[in-house]
């Protein structure tokens, strides 16, 4: 029993054994309570798989099941063997950033009397990298990877008597990070999620400036691509992060909502899952524009005297409370077929010349479908000004809001239920 106790591997390591393939144990021990109920030498076995309930075991040879569900109603299963065991000990998902790095950490456990000859990493079929067990290192991720993708990292441990174990680890490789949620002008429209900026000094970090309108307005990040199909947005959210215990964890459905009102800089490092929300201290106190106007069509607006129909009128936006850079207007979609609204933004209430806030370069209409968010640029003629044309399926009479921020140079358009502050117009 003393010998057995020296070679027992704790139950908490079982899943690590499952990852390491092949496993060719010399002996297997089955425990019920504190008693060994089975002990037998196993030979000619390539791998062993356990289910999570520990009530069954399968033995494989050349990917063929030799036997399965050998044992039931057990408390733990332990192995001894002559092969090294590789453990992914990073403690979080393995993730890298295109043009940045990917942190990794592995531990190797050796059987009694065994000596490790080599431990090597191979990323995406590249060259072998010599590695020291138990150290955290950062692997460079090539800048020419075209899109967010899952690639494999292969870890190979070899003993001096040529016993080889291989662990293959899927790695999330991130490119093109987006952000959306109530704490952004995108609101909950993933098709118009805003691009985050990759930090030039730390390529693993992505940042985004936003204005939190009301405390608790949240956000979520995803990596992938957004493409256009006619007027519909096609979202490929390859990896999605939501908030959990102060980190951003893949596949979480929650939003980061530990926010206060005001201009913020959001930073997110997917390789460490850490994010920060800090005050933006570079906001000027002087307004860029005294007001904001839009030439609108096919909708109704309310300037305090009831809803009024607009037919290519210039209307003035409301000033945002306590923010000289932000303007908003509530409208009702007017119907009239497919075109349900039209906006052309300007810093003045008339004329073909002056300061325009264009939705896209080159002028012309930008066709959106049931929502919009994007960046703005200044132009100085109506011909160069890009305008928004809503061509979605929002029912006639639906209340919507447009928000323009002349500091962030951002614009958002969404149904009124996405906004809580300032309160929606009745």
């Amino acid at each position: 029993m003393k010998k057995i106790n020296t070679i027992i591997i704790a139950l908490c390591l079982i899943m690590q054994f499952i990852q390491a393939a092949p496993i060719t144990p010399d002996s297997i021990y089955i425990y019920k309570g504190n008693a060994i109920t089975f002990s037998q030498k196993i030979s000619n076995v390539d791998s062993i798989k356990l289910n999570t309930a520990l009530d069954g075991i399968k033995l494989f040879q050349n990917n063929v099941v030799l036997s399965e569900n050998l044992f039931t109603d057990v408390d733990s299963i332990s192995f001894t063997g002559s092969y090294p065991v590789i453990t992914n000990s990073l403690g979080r998902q393995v993730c890298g950033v295109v043009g940045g790095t990917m942190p990794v950490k592995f531990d190797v456990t050796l059987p009694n009397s065994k000596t490790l000859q080599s431990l090597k990493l191979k990323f995406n079929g590249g060259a072998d990298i010599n590695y020291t067990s138990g150290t955290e290192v950062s692997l460079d991720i090539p800048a020419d990877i075209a899109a967010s993708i899952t690639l494999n990292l292969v870890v190979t441990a070899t003993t001096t008597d040529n016993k080889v174990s291989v662990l293959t680890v899927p790695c999330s490789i991130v490119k093109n990070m987006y952000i959306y949620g109530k704490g952004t002008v995108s609101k909950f429209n993933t098709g118009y999620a805003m691009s985050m900026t990759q930090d030039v000094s730390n390529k693993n970090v992505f940042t985004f400036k936003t204005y939190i309108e009301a405390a608790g307005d949240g956000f979520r990040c995803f990596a992938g691509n957004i493409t256009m199909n006619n007027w519909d947005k096609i979202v490929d959210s390859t990896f999605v992060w939501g908030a959990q215990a102060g980190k951003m964890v893949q596949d979480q459905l929650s939003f980061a909502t530990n926010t206060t009102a005001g201009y913020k800089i959001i930073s997110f490092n997917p390789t460490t899952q850490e994010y920060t929300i800090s005050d933006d201290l570079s906001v000027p106190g002087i307004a860029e524009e005294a007001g904001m106007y839009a030439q609108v069509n096919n909708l109704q607006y309310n300037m305090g005297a009831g809803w009024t129909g607009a037919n290519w009128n210039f209307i003035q936006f409301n000033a945002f409370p306590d923010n000289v850079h932000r303007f908003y207007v509530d409208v009702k979609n007017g119907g009239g077929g497919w075109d349900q609204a039209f906006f052309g933004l300007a810093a003045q209430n008339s004329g073909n010349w002056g300061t325009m806030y264009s939705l896209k370069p080159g002028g012309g209409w930008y066709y959106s479908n049931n929502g919009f968010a994007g960046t703005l640029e200044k132009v100085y003629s109506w011909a160069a000004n890009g305008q928004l044309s809503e061509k979605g399926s929002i029912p006639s009479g639906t209340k919507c809001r447009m928000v323009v921020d002349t500091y962030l140079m951002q614009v958002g358009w969404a149904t009124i239920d996405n906004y809580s502050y300032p309160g929606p117009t009745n």
Side-chain angles (χ1 to χ4, degrees):
M1 178 65 71
K2 182 177 180 181
K3 179 181 179 182
I4 293 174
N5 288 338
T6 63
I7 57 179
I8 292 174
I9 298 175
L11 174 60
C12 64
L13 297 179
I14 287 177
M15 293 308 295
Q16 297 168 3
F17 273 102
I18 297 171
Q19 294 184 76
I23 302 174
T24 307
D26 295 327
S27 301
I28 182 170
Y29 300 92
I30 308 299
Y31 292 82
K32 179 64 178 175
N34 293 319
I36 299 175
T37 61
F38 179 86
S39 173
Q40 179 178 320
K41 187 175 181 65
I42 305 293
S43 60
N44 297 322
V45 175
D46 295 326
S47 63
I48 295 172
K49 291 185 179 180
L50 310 173
N51 66 18
T52 56
L54 294 178
D55 60 2
I57 184 171
K58 293 182 181 182
L59 307 180
F60 291 80
Q61 188 179 85
N62 296 325
N63 295 322
V64 177
V65 177
L66 295 178
S67 56
E68 59 182 300
N69 299 326
L70 296 181
F71 314 103
T72 59
D73 192 25
V74 300
D75 290 335
S76 64
I77 302 174
S78 298
F79 306 106
T80 64
S82 54
Y83 283 76
V85 176
I86 308 170
T87 303
N88 177 9
S89 54
L90 187 64
R92 59 183 183 270
Q93 69 188 88
V94 180
C95 181
V97 174
V98 174
T101 63
M102 179 174 68
V104 298
K105 183 180 180 181
F106 298 96
D107 286 297
V108 176
T109 303
L110 293 170
N112 290 341
S113 74
K114 297 294 180 181
T115 303
L116 188 65
Q117 175 177 279
S118 67
L119 180 59
K120 297 181 182 296
L121 312 180
K122 186 188 290 287
F123 175 66
N124 195 29
D128 283 329
I129 303 169
N130 292 321
Y131 176 74
T132 302
S133 175
T135 60
E136 182 172 328
V137 300
S138 292
L139 305 181
D140 291 333
I141 304 300
D144 59 355
I145 296 178
S148 298
I149 193 173
T150 299
L151 298 174
N152 286 330
L153 177 67
V154 179
V155 189
T156 304
T158 306
T159 62
T160 52
D161 60 346
N162 292 320
K163 298 293 186 180
V164 180
S165 291
V166 178
L167 174 65
T168 300
V169 180
C171 308
S172 304
I173 307 301
V174 168
K175 186 173 184 176
N176 298 335
M177 185 71 68
Y178 296 90
I179 187 169
Y180 72 104
K182 199 170 182 180
T184 72
V185 291
S186 302
K187 300 307 178 183
F188 297 109
N189 192 331
T190 57
Y192 294 102
M194 303 291 284
S195 295
M196 301 186 74
T197 301
Q198 192 170 19
D199 193 304
V200 295
S201 60
N202 183 353
K203 294 296 184 66
N204 290 353
V205 174
F206 294 84
T207 63
F208 181 73
K209 287 189 174 185
T210 191
Y211 184 81
I212 303 294
E213 295 176 342
D217 284 356
F219 60 88
R220 190 190 297 171
C221 303
F222 69 87
N225 290 285
I226 301 176
T227 55
M228 199 79 165
N229 180 19
N230 293 323
W231 295 284
D232 291 322
K233 293 282 191 175
I234 308 300
V235 180
D236 172 21
S237 51
T238 308
F239 309 114
V240 181
W241 286 269
Q244 183 187 77
K247 294 183 179 291
M248 298 286 280
V249 183
Q250 267 195 37
D251 299 324
Q252 293 297 312
L253 298 180
S254 60
F255 286 76
T257 56
N258 56 327
T259 57
T260 57
Y263 283 106
K264 305 294 177 180
I265 301 174
I266 297 170
S267 296
F268 175 47
N269 185 334
T271 70
T272 63
Q273 299 181 359
E274 296 170 333
Y275 74 94
T276 61
I277 308 169
S278 59
D279 291 333
D280 185 354
L281 302 179
S282 62
V283 184
I286 300 175
E288 182 74 18
E289 306 292 351
M292 181 59 56
Y293 299 82
Q295 186 186 47
V296 300
N297 183 50
N298 201 28
L299 49 75
Q300 299 176 43
Y301 64 101
N302 193 324
M303 299 301 291
W307 292 96
T308 303
N311 181 19
W312 302 113
N313 301 76
F314 270 92
I315 65 173
Q316 185 173 9
F317 282 49
N318 300 292
F320 205 91
D322 305 317
N323 187 344
V324 298
H325 307 288
R326 201 167 176 93
F327 307 90
Y328 75 98
V329 65
D330 293 345
V331 300
K332 287 183 181 180
N333 276 358
W338 205 23
D339 278 304
Q340 294 189 319
F342 170 82
F343 281 89
L345 300 172
Q348 60 282 324
N349 63 359
S350 63
N352 291 325
W353 303 97
T355 303
M356 316 287 180
Y357 280 80
S358 178
L359 277 75
K360 68 169 190 173
W365 287 11
Y366 188 101
Y367 299 111
S368 73
N369 194 345
N370 295 341
F372 176 79
T375 56
L376 296 166
E377 66 171 4
K378 283 188 178 182
V379 296
Y380 300 96
S381 72
W382 197 255
N385 192 21
Q387 299 107 33
L388 175 69
S389 180
E390 166 65 54
K391 288 184 172 291
S393 56
I394 300 174
S396 177
T398 300
K399 291 182 183 179
C400 298
R401 175 174 291 183
M402 176 169 278
V403 175
V404 174
D405 194 303
T406 57
Y407 165 66
L408 297 174
M409 293 297 282
Q410 296 175 0
V411 59
W413 161 262
T415 54
I416 205 70
D417 56 294
N418 285 277
Y419 304 90
S420 56
Y421 184 80
T425 304
N426 293 323

